[in-house]
Amino acid sequence: MTIKYGDISPRTAAFVVRDLLKRGMPWLVFEKFGQSKPLPANSTKTIQFRRYYLDSTFTSTFGSDFNPHEYFKGTNFDPANKMLTEGVTPDATAIESSDYEASLVQYGDRVVISDVVLDTHEDPILREAVDILGEQAAVLIEKTRYNVLKAGTNVFYSNGTARTDVNTTFSLLDQRKVTRFLKRQLGKQITSMVKSTPAYGTEAIAPSFVCIVHPDLEPDLRAITGFVPVEKYGSMSPWENEIGKIEDVRYISSTIIEPFASAGAISGTAVLESNGTNADVYPMIFLARDAYGIVAFKGKNALTPMVVNPTPTDSDPLAQRGHVGWKGYSATIILNDFWMARVETAVSDLSA
């Protein structure tokens, strides 16, 4: 079956997809660090991630979720239970698995371009339409990622025990609390990421945890003792929108990480307050390796462009309207809540 791209050929569509994705790449921050799977053609709308482990005789103090810290303390890893008796074959231990399913959701949009614009406009409006739709697609998909990940259950606060208590800024101690938690849960540092190109694939990176923050947090991060800006990385290449690193955490900014306006406590310090009284609360998403899974928004099946030139039809007999659009699938799922955390903090008011 031939895939239809409107009035453009499959070859031209490939270039349009590349350009759409290229324009959107700087926005795709969460895209880089999830356990990524490409979208196969002619497949189901459900994508499945699977974890294997020895039989689940361990007792988790965190409920039914798979907790590596509790798992490795279980009976299968107790040397007293695995001592061999001479000449006696030990009982076999079963291998079990857990499946994590995410349903694909289709998104898309289009713009209408009139024949008059195409004929008379001094700017290459078709080119501009492709570019801006590429940005829209990336921001929209990135928001779907964030909406899933911000629902993680491990939350730390820069002060207090709830969002409504927050009115102080982020500190090095706050970071160390999070990294200690991730390491205690056997969260591994991220050592590869999805390439920052339209093509599907991964590339190796220096081991680190990653934190995604709103740009408003940048001054507070830079003020922390030990902050290393990207220009002093030496041989390590920075990512798009990367701010710098503190100890074993690299920080990346994205305006997708919107604050909770005036959701904190009455401010006793100079922090941002949308209502002039209560602190705005900014989420910070800390990630270890394999914390979540995604269908990568790249590759040949990620996005379908549509370009329809003005053509006479029953609804448009004078061929006055053309269309440029896109459609694509997205899916994001938390694979292990113990390998990610959210810090909620206030940020400094620089005008104070």
Side-chain angles (χ1 to χ4, degrees):
M1 182 180 68
T2 302
I3 299 177
K4 299 296 184 182
Y5 304 96
D7 293 337
I8 57 177
S9 68
R11 176 178 174 83
T12 303
F15 286 108
V16 173
V17 169
R18 183 189 64 189
D19 289 341
L20 278 169
L21 294 176
K22 184 177 180 180
R23 178 77 174 247
M25 279 301 114
W27 298 96
L28 294 173
V29 177
F30 288 112
E31 183 85 7
K32 292 180 174 64
F33 306 110
Q35 188 179 120
S36 177
K37 288 191 176 184
L39 176 63
N42 304 319
S43 187
T44 176
K45 289 181 64 178
T46 300
I47 190 160
Q48 191 173 85
F49 297 83
R50 178 168 293 166
R51 172 183 288 118
Y52 288 94
Y53 48 89
L54 298 178
D55 69 59
S56 53
T57 56
F58 70 99
T59 300
S60 175
T61 58
F62 294 89
S64 59
D65 290 342
F66 179 82
N67 183 342
H69 178 65
E70 298 293 334
Y71 171 64
F72 287 112
K73 288 168 56 180
T75 57
N76 283 316
F77 295 90
D78 183 351
N81 295 327
K82 299 300 175 183
M83 296 175 62
L84 297 179
T85 301
E86 183 179 356
V88 178
T89 301
D91 294 334
T93 300
I95 293 179
E96 296 186 0
S97 65
S98 294
D99 290 340
Y100 300 80
E101 291 187 346
S103 297
L104 293 168
V105 179
Q106 190 177 43
Y107 299 91
D109 200 3
R110 68 184 181 94
V111 296
V112 178
I113 303 176
S114 73
D115 60 335
V116 175
V117 169
L118 290 174
D119 291 341
T120 65
H121 204 282
E122 62 183 13
D123 295 326
I125 194 66
L126 187 63
R127 171 78 276 164
E128 292 298 324
V130 169
D131 286 347
I132 197 169
L133 285 173
E135 289 183 348
Q136 179 208 31
V139 171
L140 189 151
I141 295 302
E142 192 74 347
K143 285 186 175 181
T144 68
R145 306 252 189 268
Y146 175 55
N147 288 339
V148 172
L149 299 181
K150 72 179 181 181
T153 57
N154 299 310
V155 189
F156 296 77
Y157 302 97
S158 57
N159 67 281
T161 58
R163 182 176 300 165
T164 52
D165 296 332
V166 172
N167 60 6
T168 62
T169 58
F170 183 72
S171 68
L172 180 59
L173 178 61
D174 294 324
Q175 174 182 295
R176 287 175 173 172
K177 289 178 181 178
V178 175
T179 54
R180 181 173 64 180
F181 166 81
L182 293 175
K183 292 173 182 178
R184 182 173 176 79
Q185 308 308 321
L186 305 182
K188 298 180 177 63
Q189 294 186 348
I190 295 171
T191 56
S192 66
M193 70 174 192
V194 177
K195 290 181 178 179
S196 297
T197 66
Y200 179 80
T202 60
E203 59 184 348
I205 60 174
S208 65
F209 297 114
V210 171
C211 182
I212 318 297
V213 302
H214 191 279
D216 286 353
L217 270 144
E218 182 172 344
D220 291 331
L221 294 174
R222 290 184 179 276
I224 292 177
T225 301
F227 175 83
V228 180
V230 293
E231 59 267 22
K232 293 185 178 180
Y233 275 4
S235 60
M236 186 171 69
S237 298
W239 305 315
E240 295 97 342
N241 304 322
E242 185 170 5
I243 300 170
K245 69 185 297 289
I246 302 172
E247 295 183 347
D248 49 3
V249 179
R250 295 174 69 172
Y251 288 87
I252 305 174
S253 69
S254 172
T255 53
I256 301 297
I257 314 297
E258 295 181 350
F260 304 104
S262 301
I266 295 175
S267 174
T269 57
V271 299
L272 289 179
E273 307 160 333
S274 293
N275 66 359
T277 304
N278 296 77
D280 295 337
V281 179
Y282 286 74
M284 307 170 69
I285 308 298
F286 283 81
L287 301 170
R289 195 173 79 192
D290 296 329
Y292 63 99
I294 61 171
V295 171
F297 197 60
K298 54 178 58 188
K300 64 180 182 179
N301 297 316
L303 182 147
T304 302
M306 293 286 180
V307 177
V308 179
N309 292 314
T311 305
T313 64
D314 288 342
S315 60
D316 186 16
L318 297 182
Q320 295 173 290
R321 297 182 300 276
H323 308 268
V324 180
W326 67 274
K327 59 182 179 180
Y329 289 92
S330 176
T332 305
I333 185 172
I334 295 175
L335 297 177
N336 197 318
D337 227 336
F338 300 103
W339 292 342
M340 59 185 296
R342 185 176 75 255
V343 171
E344 299 193 355
T345 183
V347 304
S348 298
D349 182 357
L350 302 182
S351 64

